[in-house]
Amino acid sequence: MKILVLTGAGISAESGLPTFRDSGGLWHGHRPEDLATPEAFARNPALVLDFYNARRQAVQAAEPNAAHVALARLQASERHKVIIVTQNVDDLHERAGARRVVHMHGSILRACCTACGAAWAASYAMDAEDPCPDCGEPAVRPDVVWFGESPRDLNLIHKAIEKADLFVSIGTSGSVYPAAGFAARASCRGVRTIEINKALSLNSSEFQERREGNATDLVPAWVDELR
Ligand code: BV8
């Protein structure tokens, strides 16, 4: 089977990384538009960089959990062709051994330059004065997709949805587009859809099947069923 797995912050929650919208989540105390937009960065680069520096440290201290490991095992099994599309900017899928991971919202462990467009691996804390290693301009930002910016690899993702036999969404609230529209896109192309989440999401009605509970319980169980 060709399987497309879409993951959100909920798959990393049990690794200790806060989600965006659950209580105590990342956005609590902030509005997304105050932290994750180019305008917010232009207005107050230090505030935005501090937000990402703190999250990067948390990502580096976190470990992949049983859900990440189960997905990597499924991908390695060769019995199915599995692509993981993640909204997350952490590297827990890769550290669990996953190979085909599409980071549609970029990576907190990469930086890019707003002056020359260069992008590079960057696991260190960023400061607004940091010079770009290519052009030297103090124009460095996290290489993530903010609100109002185009997500990455959308053509590749849309083609994978069309070719999929199964679309599985894990740990996402269905609150941000275009990712939140993928389930409907799959359904109207006759692709079977499953949602794995600990609670109802904003687009739960788009799924043919729902499994409610923690990702570290439900994802390994689901992977075992496919073996
Ligand atoms: C775009 C990266 C155009 C950075 C993120 C005005 C102008 C422009 C665009 C818009 C606009 N108005 C609306 C839009 C569209 C906008 C949007 O959708 N806004 C929303 C608020 C309405 N989208 C955009 O701007 C996107 N770009 O539209 O450009 C375009 C479009 C198409 C083609 C070309 C151009 C870009 C959006 C990307 C923003 N970047 N993050 C960073 O990480 O800091 S958003 C961020 O929130 C995430 O990346 C993720 O995508 C999103 C949703 O988060 P989730 O992962 O779902 O996490 P959340 O906390 O919400 O939910 C957690 C879930 O886990 C819950 O359901 C919970 O129950 C579950 N859970 C928790 N624990 C567990 C669990 N499940 C299982 N087990 C557990 N243990």
Side-chain angles (χ1 to χ4, degrees):
M1 254 193 311
K2 292 191 188 71
I3 305 172
L4 189 151
V5 178
L6 172 70
T7 63
I11 198 170
S12 298
E14 291 164 271
S15 294
L17 296 181
T19 63
F20 290 91
R21 294 168 183 82
D22 291 323
S23 56
L26 283 166
W27 298 132
H28 282 248
H30 297 289
R31 297 180 311 153
E33 51 276 24
D34 293 341
L35 286 171
T37 61
E39 296 76 17
F41 182 64
R43 205 169 39 241
N44 190 341
L47 172 73
V48 173
L49 291 179
D50 284 350
F51 174 61
Y52 283 94
N53 289 342
R55 286 177 62 196
R56 186 179 305 102
Q57 274 190 327
V59 166
Q60 289 164 320
E63 290 299 328
N65 62 49
H68 298 106
V69 171
L71 289 182
R73 182 158 48 88
L74 179 63
Q75 249 189 0
S77 73
E78 300 293 332
R79 278 197 60 204
H80 305 288
K81 196 163 165 25
V82 181
I83 181 169
I84 298 169
V85 175
T86 188
Q87 301 170 85
N88 300 338
V89 294
D90 65 54
D91 63 342
L92 296 184
H93 282 301
E94 290 86 348
R95 283 201 270 143
R99 290 284 165 269
R100 289 190 73 208
V101 182
V102 176
H103 278 272
M104 65 179 289
H105 290 161
S107 166
I108 202 165
L109 297 169
R110 291 182 59 76
C112 61
C113 175
T114 56
C116 71
W120 60 95
S123 54
Y124 47 79
M126 284 172 213
D127 181 286
E129 299 311 311
D130 289 348
C132 164
D134 276 35
C135 72
E137 286 297 308
V140 172
R141 58 164 278 187
D143 190 19
V144 298
V145 176
W146 283 329
F147 288 99
E149 296 183 325
S150 301
R152 314 270 166 86
D153 298 316
L154 282 179
N155 289 338
L156 178 151
I157 295 167
H158 289 160
K159 283 198 184 88
I161 290 174
E162 277 152 28
K163 288 189 197 136
D165 302 299
L166 180 59
F167 175 91
V168 183
S169 170
I170 302 171
T172 179
S173 61
S175 54
V176 173
Y177 289 83
F182 291 166
R185 194 181 186 97
S187 278
C188 68
R189 282 162 177 76
V191 179
R192 195 154 72 82
T193 54
I194 301 176
E195 179 178 59
I196 295 176
N197 195 314
K198 78 169 185 184
L200 280 173
S201 69
L202 293 177
N203 61 352
S204 288
S205 58
E206 307 283 1
F207 292 88
Q208 274 122 3
E209 183 187 344
R210 289 203 69 253
R211 300 188 183 193
E212 192 152 339
N214 282 326
T216 55
D217 299 321
L218 296 182
V219 177
W222 168 65
V223 167
D224 284 344
E225 285 169 23
L226 293 172
R227 296 214 308 189

